[in-house]
Amino acid sequence: MAATGTKRAWKLQEFVAHSANVNCLALGPVSGRVMVTGGEDKKVNMWAVGKPNCIMSLSGHTTPVESVRFGISEELVAAGSQSGTIKIWDLEAAKIVRTLTGHKSSIKTLDFHPYGEFVVSGSLDTNIKLWDVRRKGCIFTYRGHTNCVNTVRFSPDGRWVGSAGEDGIMKLWDLTAGKIIHEFTNHQGPVTTVEFHPNEFLLATGSGDRTVKFWDLETMQLVGTTDREANGVRTISFHPEGNVLFSGGQDTLRVYGWEPVRSYDSYSMGWGKIGDMAISSNQLIGASYHQTNVSLYVVDLSRTNLSDNRQIPQESIPTPTPFTASGHRKSFVTDRPRTQCGHQGQTEQMKTEPNDDPSQDQGEEDSSEVAQIQNPADYKELFKPRHDLARSPTIKAPFPAPLEDPSSVSAAPVSRVSPSQPTAAPVSRVSPSQPTAAPVRVATSQSAAAPTSRLPPSQPAVQPTPAVQPVSHPPVVTSSPPQPQSTVVPSDRDKPVGLDMNAFLPKQPQPIGSVHSSAVNNVQPGINESDVLGSIEKGHNSMCAAMNHRHKNLDVVRSIWTTGEIKTAVDSAINMNDLAIVVDLLNVLCLKPSMWSLDLCVMILPKVEELANSKYENYIHAGCQAIKLVMKSFSGLIKTNITAPPISGVDISREERYRKCKTCYESLLRTRSIVEQKQHLVGKLGSTFREIKLILAALDC
């Protein structure tokens, strides 16, 4: 009998974005109405939020695209590839303006300077580079991370750069001095995202340890830490007014305040692997990707708790005074310096280094680097009006909220702060088993209306009741050989592979088309409670026996490990013939490189061969991490001993060392043959195998 209202959060649309897996995406930071995606098909595609058709497809990269980022004015797009190349596109001119090379490995993150022609990049090679787009090259390289750099961000005033990565450390760099200001080391896992407060000297970091931490940039001290979430934090974003922080994780959205740290609101979104968030027209837009699909979600901020006891009305006008939680913290000076004359003065303020690499100057356009405008009408609507100097800013209408499903009200999450707050119905998640070749439908909650692509520009991009509309796919190059499909069990699966839950219950046939009285009462005929519990216990007994056996084995390894006999502990784990035990042990050893020795390599590398051939993604990644560590620490020693000329006389220690090095060398060669067979797989797994192949190529030098 409850009145049906509109949803607080809903799925806006889903579409096929690339002909291969999507690796990255970014939303326009200002409008929130444009999106760029990068994929395994080496393309960079442009989209208008709310419309299913690709506006423009950018070609030119020769390896999969790993990171994308809009410029501050949304007129430029930077894309980094697996080979370490960055390409910058002018969206108004629909052409490439610069190609930047210098990184030795995949580009994982990019950011544009707030008011200069500068780009900062972070890479798998652990380096951070500052690029001057007009000078066509790198002006400084920041070194200090010991593992992959996951995220880089300029401060609002453009004087600092924050970087963080797999080493769990967030570093703050001074661009003027070209050196590090401070290291923040309190996270217990890889740091995945960094954001500066838009006004205050405040920084937020999100991590795989499932927490968000707030840092005071005056005192360089920790302000507070959120409670652990269910999954790692993937992306964070401050509200433009600076009053709250939005944290996006696997299927969840949380709204946080600080001083003290508390959660104002939370949503069960069902968006899966969230890639980016933006705020537009008092709505939060979230973009996620899975395989070749991209999904967009909307959260109504007018119905979201943004403080302990208040809601922002939909028609409220934000006050011009920035929110200051502490009342005493300094603010960034975001006005562009007026003492500098153009771009030259900005460059002189930054620490630079000589550019001795002529290959970095790749500014000329190549014939393969083209921008194919696939939707001229939307392209003209988005970019052509920017040429008019005297124009009023266009205000985008918010996306209309669909009606609430009455049957889902009871399943809606309740706000932590105000239980009487209207709650959001859970948004249905995209099924991973959905065939991507079929036309993808725009997600709505009602039945029929006009297609969204035919709406006039003055109307909202998506009506609450659009008709189902097929999506025009990006062009697929048919001349390329088909990519082999991976049979590896993914590590981020949300249910056991091949497990049928109905198999745990007794089979009881029921007549089709008839309604039995017991069926009405949700009771299967012939099955009582004891039968059901007995069947379930049988499955649990088998699982518990397997887990108890593994627990005992780990206890044995741990007891030996605590005595300091690392080699004996590893030998015991290997002799147990359980790869799960080896993976657990490798995950610990890879965090402690100082424990490794040549003897340990001889014992572990044969097992690494098995891990590389495993069907489980977790096992493969554990083996690849071990290969990286072995090659980094012992490749020189192995090659030196293998290629050393024989000497006269007897040297027992040298012969023993040669035997160990030869064993490691042969094992690495066998592993390389496995890697070469699997390097053509699509997705992250193929990317990992290609990276390992490049690392193992050092054995031939």
Side-chain angles (χ1 to χ4, degrees):
M1 295 294 294
T4 302
T6 57
K7 294 183 179 181
R8 289 205 304 160
W10 65 95
K11 185 176 184 178
L12 180 65
Q13 64 178 145
E14 179 192 358
F15 51 87
V16 176
H18 290 265
S19 59
N21 283 359
V22 179
N23 289 336
C24 54
L25 57 79
L27 290 164
V30 177
S31 70
R33 295 303 181 96
V34 289
M35 180 176 66
V36 60
T37 59
E40 288 281 331
D41 58 2
K42 310 168 190 176
K43 297 287 186 65
V44 177
N45 291 338
M46 280 286 305
W47 309 85
V49 174
K51 298 185 180 181
N53 298 320
C54 179
I55 298 174
M56 182 165 41
S57 185
L58 311 175
S59 304
H61 280 293
T62 58
T63 54
V65 179
E66 295 283 339
S67 60
V68 288
R69 185 75 174 174
F70 275 104
I72 299 301
S73 63
E74 300 180 0
E75 296 178 2
L76 297 177
V77 161
S81 72
Q82 198 175 87
S83 63
T85 301
I86 302 171
K87 291 184 183 292
I88 301 176
W89 301 83
D90 186 330
L91 300 179
E92 286 192 37
K95 68 176 185 179
I96 192 168
V97 294
R98 195 69 65 224
T99 298
L100 305 170
T101 60
H103 279 294
K104 305 300 182 185
S105 191
S106 177
I107 308 292
K108 291 299 184 182
T109 176
L110 294 161
D111 196 25
F112 278 88
H113 194 274
Y115 48 74
E117 296 289 337
F118 303 102
V119 173
V120 65
S121 60
S123 171
L124 188 64
D125 63 11
T126 73
N127 291 333
I128 301 154
K129 288 184 179 288
L130 180 66
W131 308 87
D132 187 332
V133 177
R134 295 187 183 181
R135 288 173 52 185
K136 311 176 185 178
C138 175
I139 59 177
F140 202 80
T141 301
Y142 304 90
R143 298 177 175 89
H145 284 284
T146 59
N147 209 329
C148 174
V149 180
N150 289 331
T151 178
V152 290
R153 285 293 180 270
F154 281 107
S155 61
D157 60 1
R159 298 176 60 86
W160 296 340
V161 165
S163 66
E166 292 292 316
D167 54 11
I169 300 174
M170 188 273 160
K171 296 177 183 286
L172 190 63
W173 306 87
D174 188 330
L175 298 184
T176 304
K179 63 181 181 181
I180 193 169
I181 300 175
H182 193 75
E183 290 187 356
F184 303 95
T185 59
N186 291 45
H187 277 295
Q188 298 176 356
V191 182
T192 54
T193 177
V194 170
E195 285 294 332
F196 287 90
H197 191 280
N199 305 310
E200 300 180 15
F201 272 36
L202 184 74
L203 179 80
T205 55
S207 170
D209 65 8
R210 299 179 291 163
T211 66
V212 175
K213 295 184 184 294
F214 297 91
W215 310 89
D216 190 312
L217 296 181
E218 287 187 87
T219 62
M220 302 299 173
Q221 298 297 316
L222 179 66
V223 173
T225 304
T226 64
D227 294 334
R228 290 188 183 273
E229 300 184 9
N231 295 284
V233 179
R234 292 188 56 84
T235 181
I236 56 177
S237 178
F238 279 100
H239 192 283
E241 295 179 27
N243 50 350
V244 294
L245 176 89
F246 301 98
S247 171
Q250 184 84 11
D251 295 327
T252 61
L253 173 69
R254 297 186 184 276
V255 185
Y256 288 115
W258 56 94
E259 294 178 322
V261 174
R262 67 274 196 202
S263 175
Y264 290 147
D265 212 339
S266 62
Y267 290 85
S268 177
M269 297 298 299
W271 52 26
K273 189 183 293 184
I274 179 70
D276 197 13
M277 298 186 297
I279 295 174
S280 171
S281 304
N282 209 17
Q283 292 179 331
L284 183 141
I285 313 297
S288 64
Y289 56 94
H290 176 74
Q291 296 180 353
T292 60
N293 286 15
V294 167
S295 302
L296 288 162
Y297 293 78
V298 179
V299 177
D300 187 354
L301 297 185
S302 66
R303 300 173 59 192
T304 300
N305 283 333
L306 302 182
S307 67
D308 284 325
N309 54 9
R310 71 182 180 94
Q311 291 180 313
I312 294 181
Q314 190 167 0
E315 284 79 18
S316 65
I317 300 175
T319 58
T321 304
F323 179 90
T324 304
S326 61
H328 62 270
R329 188 173 291 118
K330 290 174 60 178
S331 297
F332 288 107
V333 179
T334 56
D335 295 333
R336 187 166 182 162
R338 288 178 290 181
T339 57
Q340 305 300 329
C341 181
H343 179 79
Q344 268 315 50
Q346 298 170 24
T347 307
E348 291 172 1
Q349 283 192 336
M350 296 187 180
K351 180 74 174 180
T352 61
E353 60 186 4
N355 181 12
D356 298 327
D357 186 2
S359 66
Q360 291 182 356
D361 186 359
Q362 300 289 336
E364 299 301 324
E365 185 175 350
D366 188 82
S367 59
S368 63
E369 298 167 343
V370 295
Q372 181 181 0
I373 300 175
Q374 300 182 356
N375 196 324
D378 287 341
Y379 171 76
K380 183 177 180 180
E381 178 185 345
L382 285 172
F383 298 110
K384 291 303 180 183
R386 297 179 185 273
H387 294 295
D388 301 333
L389 295 180
R391 69 177 192 272
S392 300
T394 57
I395 300 176
K396 295 287 187 180
F399 294 107
L403 294 178
E404 187 83 58
D405 183 4
S407 62
S408 65
V409 173
S410 61
V414 181
S415 166
R416 291 187 177 184
V417 176
S418 177
S420 61
Q421 170 80 11
T423 56
V427 184
S428 59
R429 183 177 177 181
V430 182
S431 173
S433 61
Q434 179 180 357
T436 57
V440 179
R441 304 172 185 271
V442 178
T444 58
S445 63
Q446 301 181 18
S447 54
T452 59
S453 60
R454 297 184 180 181
L455 292 175
S458 60
Q459 295 296 322
V462 174
Q463 295 292 339
T465 59
V468 174
Q469 186 177 15
V471 176
S472 61
H473 297 204
V476 182
V477 180
T478 57
S479 60
S480 59
Q483 298 285 358
Q485 296 298 318
S486 173
T487 58
V488 174
V489 177
S491 59
D492 57 351
R493 62 189 187 276
D494 56 0
K495 61 182 179 180
V497 175
L499 179 63
D500 183 9
M501 298 304 298
N502 293 325
F504 289 91
L505 296 175
K507 302 297 181 183
Q508 184 71 30
Q510 293 185 359
I512 300 175
S514 63
V515 181
H516 195 275
S517 60
S518 61
V520 176
N521 297 325
N522 295 324
V523 178
Q524 296 184 12
I527 299 180
N528 55 34
E529 184 178 354
S530 61
D531 292 336
V532 174
L533 292 177
S535 299
I536 294 176
E537 286 176 356
K538 290 179 182 178
H540 277 290
N541 289 337
S542 301
M543 178 63 69
C544 288
M547 297 306 294
N548 285 334
H549 178 70
R550 184 170 298 173
H551 186 266
K552 290 178 181 178
N553 287 341
L554 286 173
D555 270 345
V556 172
V557 175
R558 184 185 61 83
S559 62
I560 300 175
W561 181 285
T562 53
T563 63
E565 297 290 337
I566 307 300
K567 183 179 176 181
T568 307
V570 173
D571 187 51
S572 299
I574 292 174
N575 290 333
M576 290 173 182
N577 291 323
D578 187 350
L579 283 181
I581 304 295
V582 176
V583 169
D584 290 338
L585 192 60
L586 275 181
N587 288 333
V588 176
L589 286 172
C590 288
L591 297 176
K592 300 179 179 296
S594 60
M595 288 187 172
W596 286 70
S597 64
L598 197 58
D599 290 330
L600 213 59
C601 295
V602 172
M603 298 166 60
I604 289 177
L605 284 177
K607 285 296 179 182
V608 170
E609 294 179 46
E610 297 182 39
L611 294 178
N613 229 352
S614 172
K615 68 175 183 178
Y616 298 108
E617 185 178 0
N618 286 335
Y619 290 16
I620 294 172
H621 281 303
C624 290
Q625 287 295 326
I627 292 174
K628 291 179 184 178
L629 194 149
V630 169
M631 290 298 295
K632 180 179 179 180
S633 303
F634 299 97
S635 60
L637 176 65
I638 292 173
K639 289 189 296 183
T640 301
N641 282 272
I642 291 295
T643 58
I647 61 172
S648 58
V650 177
D651 189 339
I652 302 297
S653 61
R654 182 180 183 278
E655 291 180 359
E656 182 68 17
R657 186 167 59 251
Y658 173 81
R659 183 188 63 79
K660 295 176 182 177
C661 289
K662 185 177 180 182
T663 302
C664 294
Y665 180 77
E666 292 173 349
S667 183
L668 288 170
L669 288 181
R670 289 192 297 269
T671 304
R672 185 169 69 173
S673 65
I674 298 173
V675 170
E676 288 174 347
Q677 294 172 8
K678 298 188 175 186
Q679 64 173 325
H680 300 294
L681 294 175
V682 298
K684 294 292 184 183
L685 206 56
S687 174
T688 301
F689 279 126
R690 288 189 288 272
E691 179 191 353
I692 296 299
K693 180 190 174 184
L694 292 175
I695 293 174
L696 292 175
L699 295 172
D700 299 331
C701 299

